[in-house]
Amino acid sequence: MTTACLTSTLAPVRADDAVVSELDLSGMGLRDEHVAQVAAALAGNTHVLEIDLSYNEHLTDAGLESLRAALEGCAVAKVTGLDSCDGASEAANRALT
């Protein structure tokens, strides 16, 4: 995963006229250090309701906890695919679902 690739993927979410309701981040090789970029894109966004994190095996409890904290106050109602984040515990997964 490169920062440029993630930036490109998140661009529609950051747009002033964004109406993206689902953010598909599945299989992107996200790591904990990418969570801040995702959180920044979602800050103040009222349209994204669902995020798919399937097959991001390198996300750990620390990254998921950071994401959970960042999502407080956001419109996101559902985070899916957490069961395939091998680096994360079941407890961390439950905290986001």
Side-chain angles (χ1 to χ4, degrees):
M1 160 58 58
T2 65
T3 300
C5 181
L6 185 56
T7 298
S8 175
T9 301
L10 295 173
V13 174
R14 290 188 169 125
D16 290 335
D17 58 348
V19 292
V20 176
S21 63
E22 295 178 15
L23 180 58
D24 184 0
L25 299 174
S26 63
M28 294 193 69
L30 296 179
R31 296 179 178 273
D32 293 346
E33 58 266 21
H34 298 121
V35 170
Q37 196 173 354
V38 173
L42 292 170
N45 182 294
T46 58
H47 298 288
V48 174
L49 302 175
E50 183 175 341
I51 301 172
D52 183 356
L53 292 174
S54 301
Y55 307 107
N56 285 290
E57 296 87 6
H58 302 291
L59 283 175
T60 69
D61 287 359
L64 293 179
E65 175 55 30
S66 294
L67 183 60
R68 186 202 57 75
L71 293 179
E72 288 180 7
C74 288
V76 175
K78 185 176 182 182
V79 179
T80 62
L82 295 172
D83 55 335
S84 62
C85 295
D86 294 339
S89 69
E90 192 173 316
N93 292 348
R94 278 195 310 268
L96 272 167
T97 57

